[in-house]
Amino acid sequence: KCHYHCISKHITMVSKATAVTDVILLTEDKGCWGLNVAPGDLEKSPRSDPDPWEALHRHKRSWVWNQFFVLEEYTGNEPLYVGKLHSDVDKGDGKVKYVLTGEGATSIFTIDENTGDIHATKRLDREAQAYYTLQAQAVDRFTNVPVEPRSEFVVKVQDINDNEPKFVDGPYLAGVPEMSPLGTMVVQVAATDADDPTYGNSARVVYSVIHGQPYFSVEPKTGVIRTALPNMDRETRDQYVLVIQAKDMVGQMGGLSGTTSVTVMLTDVNDNPPRFTHKSYQYTVLESLPVQSVVARIKAADADIGSNAEMDYRIVDGDGPGLFNITTDENTQEGIIILLKPLDFETKSGFSLKIEATNRNIDSNFLSLGPFSDTAFVKVTVEDVNEPPIFSTPLSRMVVSEDAKVGTSIGRLSAHDPDNINGAIRYSIDRNTDLERFFNVDASSGIISTAKVLDREANSVHNLTILAMESQDPSQIGKGIALITVLDINDNAPVFAIDYETLLCENAIPGQVIQTISAVDRDEPPSGHRFFFSLAAPIAGNLNFTLRDNKDNTASILTKRGGFKRREQPVYRLPVLILDSGNPALSSTNTLSVRVCECDSDGVALSCGAVAYTATGLSTGALLAILGCIITLLVMVLLIVTMRRRRKEPLILDEERDIRENIVRYDDEGGGEEDTEAFDMVTLRNLNIIRDPNVRRDVTPDTPTFFHYPSASRPPYKSLPDNVVFREFIWERLKDADVDPSAPPYDSLQTYAFEGNGSVAESLSSLESLSTDSDHNYDYLSNWGPRFKKLADLYGNSDGTSVFS
């Protein structure tokens, strides 16, 4: 028989005690290496002669062991002994060699090929790999022929407590409402331990609070954190940081531990009512504060936050109803008091308001802490400011007749100083609203009167802005409106509504209506227009046409006869008299032109007007008329040519000569014909000649002159100095322009200059050149020196050597 011994040294640490168990298993089967033995291996193994009794009693054996055990994290200096393999074939003579293969063979696990001892050469970590599967075999040392079948076994790494618990999801952040009852769940924490949970207590964890008591507690087995105190107040403290410990070995001594932090935030609930910091507030505003302006801001303090601190304000009482309003600023939760109507210091200088602040979102669980509202008093003091004058009626409506004379009083506006009831006021018209200056206002009384003749048809309504100014402070100006309506009078006669074009067919029959006419009137009588039509007296009894008044502001023109001929008379002109119904009534005569036309059978005009006259020859009178026109034209042409020759031709520079000197232009004084029409030129040439105002063409207005002489003692022109005569002349011309109705509506300055008698040079004016020849002799320029050489060359008479011909 072959006896095979498998020896396993099983080491188990229990409470730091080591038990060593040696198990020696004996088997009659040579395949004793492991759990599973291949049939082929059994056949290949050497056997002795079969024993009949042995054949009858042989049966398959089951191994009572299936693995070796080795402690992890071995820290010794020598290789760790795992176990021993031995075969009965091995007689100790060194012929049997043991071979180890599989996971970690040779690298982690070694076997003594002579003795079969297995050792671990490296530190093992169960958390990295919990077991290793190896194969062992006994072979002949010399032939390498297996003497035992290959067997497989497992080396299991036995766990030790070398991993502390870890909070994978930490640190934690949690929240719980303030004022929560005792035991309210906050959050659950969980720690994991990498050690073997099936072996010992290395992975059995318990929880505890090492920082955060007495506010919170944790369940040891589940890790559920709960409140340990009731009614924690967020307004007192809103954040807690807990340190939770997880310890293995069920918390026993020697166990490993890990910690994590849990930040607990107390969330807000509406447990605090709003409260005003003061029971009374006082503010001062100017009476000129515009409407919708902010008068004051007040705020009720609320220790809550977010929606729990939102509040609404309202005015529950006060002596200024409708004058103020209060709203909530959603960002700051302040109460904003707004002015709704203008303030008037003179009417009321102070107001008192009762303001209430109420929480918008009230929690019914905390009604016992209420009431969730508060009140305060606000006093608003109004300060006086210097206000502009105020009109008693901002809009005054007035009427004036169209035919009112200049200076007619229309109405009166009245304003007063609100700060000084007896303060003097001065009135004026904003001329931007009365550009044509139709009206005036008395500065002291405010009475409005006409300054020009009014025309309703040009402007029926005048909208004037009247300014009221304080005499003591002109910067304070009030404004009022005067709406002046111009009443209509019958000052416009009716006329044709349009320019009528009346056509009359030659084949017209008597009594035929050839035109219906109507009228318009620029006046607007209150009862409407009523026009009366008739033919003017000179042709009222004509034999060609008649007029029928239709009594509806229209009239019809009818023929009295037929058989009109264009050759006899191509056009008829009918004077139509139109009378309105005004008081007094006005009328006008309008001429209606009737053209005689050749018409077709349907009455459609084909050709109208005079018939062309064809003549076979011209009469003697016609020929003489044509000849006279031709002679007249010839004479006019000769006169024009003669005048052009007498005028000095313009000088033309030689194109080849490059002249770069400046060109100096000498113009005559005056503006030509316009100046000669504006004043008497002889007076300017002869200043010593006495002007007679009675023979002037224009009329000097009766206004003060530049020199204020009494009318009885005004000296005649001949006794005045020359310069005074000329100034008087200019002043009179300016007065003429001021009163000229055709002049523009702005001032203009006309300047008249002349050479005085005291000038050392002779007059250079060309005004007296009208009586002399236009060709002047400029030879004297050659005697004036080199400065005038160029003028002498240009205008002097030379012998033809000049560049000009």
Side-chain angles (χ1 to χ4, degrees):
K1 286 186 179 179
C2 173
H3 296 280
Y4 170 63
H5 300 276
C6 296
I7 302 174
S8 173
K9 186 177 182 181
H10 187 192
I11 304 175
T12 304
M13 296 181 61
V14 178
S15 301
K16 295 184 180 182
T18 303
V20 180
T21 303
D22 293 336
V23 179
I24 301 175
L25 301 177
L26 303 177
T27 179
E28 294 178 352
D29 195 343
K30 293 182 179 180
C32 64
W33 289 98
L35 296 176
N36 299 318
V37 181
D41 294 337
L42 293 175
E43 294 176 358
K44 292 179 182 178
S45 60
R47 296 176 59 87
S48 60
D49 294 336
D51 188 344
W53 183 89
E54 183 177 334
L56 292 175
H57 294 88
R58 177 174 294 184
H59 60 276
K60 186 177 180 179
R61 297 196 178 199
S62 298
W63 299 93
V64 296
W65 64 274
N66 59 3
Q67 59 188 5
F68 291 135
F69 292 90
V70 60
L71 282 176
E72 67 170 334
E73 305 295 344
Y74 173 70
T75 59
N77 296 326
E78 300 294 331
L80 179 65
Y81 181 75
V82 177
K84 183 181 182 64
L85 298 177
H86 183 73
S87 173
D88 290 343
V89 178
D90 186 4
K91 301 301 183 179
D93 53 4
K95 294 182 179 180
V96 176
K97 181 176 67 174
Y98 297 96
V99 179
L100 186 65
T101 60
E103 291 181 308
T106 69
S107 62
I108 299 176
F109 301 100
T110 62
I111 188 169
D112 189 328
E113 62 180 14
N114 296 319
T115 64
D117 291 332
I118 302 174
H119 291 82
T121 62
K122 293 183 179 181
R123 177 186 295 183
L124 301 180
D125 185 4
R126 188 201 67 84
E127 287 71 38
Q129 187 167 344
Y131 63 89
Y132 297 86
T133 302
L134 300 172
Q135 294 83 31
Q137 194 172 22
V139 299
D140 187 274
R141 183 181 299 276
F142 303 102
T143 62
N144 287 329
V145 176
V147 296
E148 291 287 350
R150 179 179 298 173
S151 296
E152 185 177 271
F153 64 96
V154 173
V155 177
K156 185 176 181 181
V157 182
Q158 189 172 2
D159 182 47
I160 66 172
N161 190 19
D162 60 341
N163 290 278
E164 71 277 4
K166 294 182 179 179
F167 291 91
V168 180
D169 299 328
Y172 294 85
L173 179 64
V176 63
E178 64 171 332
M179 310 302 290
S180 296
L182 179 67
T184 301
M185 178 180 174
V186 179
V187 69
Q188 184 177 12
V189 298
T192 59
D193 195 316
D195 293 324
D196 189 357
T198 64
Y199 179 75
N201 295 323
S202 298
R204 296 182 61 183
V205 177
V206 293
Y207 301 94
S208 62
V209 179
I210 62 175
H211 181 74
Q213 295 176 336
Y215 306 103
F216 298 93
S217 63
V218 62
E219 294 181 359
K221 294 182 178 181
T222 62
V224 174
I225 299 175
R226 300 181 183 275
T227 58
L229 290 178
N231 301 328
M232 286 189 291
D233 189 6
R234 184 200 66 83
E235 288 73 33
T236 303
R237 182 178 177 183
D238 63 348
Q239 178 176 306
Y240 298 84
V241 179
L242 313 180
V243 178
I244 305 298
Q245 182 188 66
K247 190 174 183 180
D248 58 15
M249 299 298 294
V250 200
Q252 296 178 2
M253 183 180 297
L256 302 179
S257 64
T259 61
T260 187
S261 65
V262 180
T263 302
V264 180
M265 304 291 298
L266 294 185
T267 58
D268 186 55
V269 298
N270 192 7
D271 60 337
N272 292 278
R275 291 291 180 264
F276 285 104
T277 56
H278 303 284
K279 285 302 179 182
S280 178
Y281 299 85
Q282 186 165 352
Y283 298 93
T284 302
V285 296
L286 297 176
E287 66 171 328
S288 59
L289 186 69
V291 174
Q292 296 299 326
S293 297
V294 176
V295 176
R297 286 175 174 264
I298 62 173
K299 184 177 182 179
D302 192 325
D304 297 322
I305 59 175
S307 61
N308 295 320
E310 294 178 355
M311 62 190 73
D312 294 317
Y313 295 88
R314 65 190 185 101
I315 301 174
V316 296
D317 193 11
D319 54 1
L323 192 62
F324 302 96
N325 187 29
I326 188 168
T327 60
T328 302
D329 188 328
E330 298 299 335
N331 295 323
T332 63
Q333 294 302 313
E334 291 178 306
I336 305 175
I337 302 176
I338 300 174
L339 181 65
L340 297 182
K341 296 179 181 179
L343 298 173
D344 186 10
F345 172 82
E346 288 72 25
T347 303
K348 189 173 180 62
S349 60
F351 301 90
S352 181
L353 307 175
K354 185 179 181 181
I355 307 298
E356 180 184 59
T358 305
N359 266 143
R360 189 176 297 170
N361 304 303
I362 300 176
D363 192 337
S364 59
N365 296 323
F366 303 100
L367 290 177
S368 59
L369 303 177
F372 285 82
S373 63
D374 195 16
T375 58
F377 290 92
V378 176
K379 184 177 182 181
V380 180
T381 301
V382 182
E383 284 190 353
D384 187 27
V385 296
N386 191 8
E387 300 173 276
I390 299 175
F391 283 87
S392 56
T393 304
L395 176 62
S396 298
R397 299 180 182 273
M398 305 177 184
V399 294
V400 60
S401 178
E402 184 179 7
D403 61 347
K405 296 181 180 180
V406 175
T408 301
S409 297
I410 302 173
R412 181 177 182 271
L413 277 76
S414 177
H416 68 279
D417 185 354
D419 304 306
N420 183 7
I421 196 64
N422 297 321
I425 304 296
R426 295 186 61 82
Y427 302 91
S428 63
I429 297 177
D430 184 355
R431 290 304 177 183
N432 291 324
T433 61
D434 185 25
L435 295 176
E436 299 182 16
R437 298 177 178 265
F438 283 110
F439 303 94
N440 288 327
V441 62
D442 187 271
S444 301
S445 64
I447 296 176
I448 299 176
S449 59
T450 58
K452 288 184 179 181
V453 176
L454 304 177
D455 185 3
R456 188 205 64 84
E457 287 70 36
N459 195 349
S460 61
V461 177
H462 296 268
N463 191 344
L464 305 183
T465 298
I466 308 301
L467 307 178
M469 178 190 306
E470 293 183 12
S471 298
Q472 300 298 326
D473 187 1
S475 63
Q476 298 298 325
I477 301 175
K479 293 183 179 181
I481 302 298
L483 194 64
I484 302 175
T485 302
V486 182
L487 301 178
D488 185 37
I489 63 170
N490 192 23
D491 57 345
N492 292 276
V495 296
F496 277 156
I498 60 173
D499 292 333
Y500 293 100
E501 183 180 4
T502 304
L503 304 180
L504 173 64
C505 292
E506 290 180 322
N507 57 357
I509 61 176
Q512 179 178 342
V513 176
I514 61 174
Q515 184 69 62
T516 300
I517 59 177
S518 62
V520 293
D521 194 329
R522 295 180 63 191
D523 297 318
E524 293 183 1
S527 59
H529 290 292
R530 176 68 178 95
F531 300 122
F532 304 93
F533 300 88
S534 63
L535 293 178
I539 65 164
N542 73 93
L543 301 177
N544 299 317
F545 305 97
T546 184
L547 182 145
R548 181 182 66 205
D549 193 334
N550 296 325
K551 309 300 183 182
D552 59 355
N553 289 343
T554 65
S556 300
I557 306 298
L558 300 89
T559 59
K560 281 187 175 182
R561 65 179 180 87
F564 293 92
K565 300 296 182 182
R566 287 190 299 156
R567 294 182 181 276
E568 295 177 358
Q569 186 170 347
V571 178
Y572 293 89
R573 303 189 184 278
L574 301 180
V576 178
L577 180 65
I578 307 176
L579 180 69
D580 62 18
S581 58
N583 186 17
L586 296 180
S587 64
S588 67
T589 300
N590 301 264
T591 301
L592 179 68
S593 297
V594 181
R595 299 171 60 194
V596 182
C597 303
E598 179 184 357
C599 302
D600 59 12
S601 58
D602 296 329
V604 178
L606 301 177
S607 59
C608 302
V611 180
Y613 179 76
T614 304
T616 57
L618 295 176
S619 63
T620 303
L623 292 175
L624 291 176
I626 294 173
L627 183 60
C629 291
I630 293 174
I631 294 173
T632 303
L633 291 174
L634 290 175
V635 171
M636 293 177 65
V637 170
L638 291 175
L639 289 175
I640 292 173
V641 171
T642 302
M643 292 180 65
R644 289 181 61 87
R645 286 182 178 179
R646 291 174 60 86
R647 184 180 302 170
K648 188 175 184 63
E649 294 295 331
L651 300 176
I652 303 176
L653 292 174
D654 189 353
E655 295 179 356
E656 297 180 356
R657 183 175 178 182
D658 186 12
I659 298 178
R660 300 182 181 274
E661 287 80 5
N662 294 331
I663 298 176
V664 182
R665 181 176 177 182
Y666 297 88
D667 289 338
D668 293 341
E669 295 83 4
E673 295 179 357
E674 294 179 359
D675 281 355
T676 58
E677 293 176 359
F679 56 84
D680 189 358
M681 302 299 294
V682 178
T683 303
L684 293 180
R685 297 194 205 102
N686 304 284
L687 294 177
N688 294 327
I689 298 178
I690 300 175
R691 291 180 59 228
D692 187 358
N694 297 325
V695 298
R696 290 186 61 205
R697 293 175 296 152
D698 52 359
V699 179
T700 303
D702 189 12
T703 56
T705 63
F706 183 79
F707 295 90
H708 302 282
Y709 298 107
S711 58
S713 62
R714 179 169 179 170
Y717 279 109
K718 63 182 180 180
S719 62
L720 296 175
D722 293 341
N723 59 342
V724 176
V725 172
F726 186 67
R727 291 182 182 178
E728 283 292 293
F729 171 77
I730 293 177
W731 185 251
E732 290 174 1
R733 300 308 300 161
L734 288 175
K735 289 185 293 184
D736 294 345
D738 288 341
V739 299
D740 186 3
S742 63
Y746 49 80
D747 295 334
S748 61
L749 178 62
Q750 301 183 22
T751 303
Y752 303 90
F754 70 102
E755 296 84 17
N757 289 338
S759 176
V760 296
E762 296 180 0
S763 176
L764 297 178
S765 174
S766 61
L767 296 178
E768 297 180 354
S769 63
L770 297 177
S771 60
T772 62
D773 191 359
S774 60
D775 293 331
H776 297 285
N777 186 358
Y778 296 98
D779 291 341
Y780 60 88
L781 294 174
S782 302
N783 301 327
W784 285 14
R787 293 179 180 269
F788 297 88
K789 184 177 182 304
K790 181 59 65 179
L791 290 176
D793 292 340
L794 293 174
Y795 294 94
N797 291 329
S798 63
D799 55 358
T801 61
S802 174
V803 295
F804 301 103
S805 61

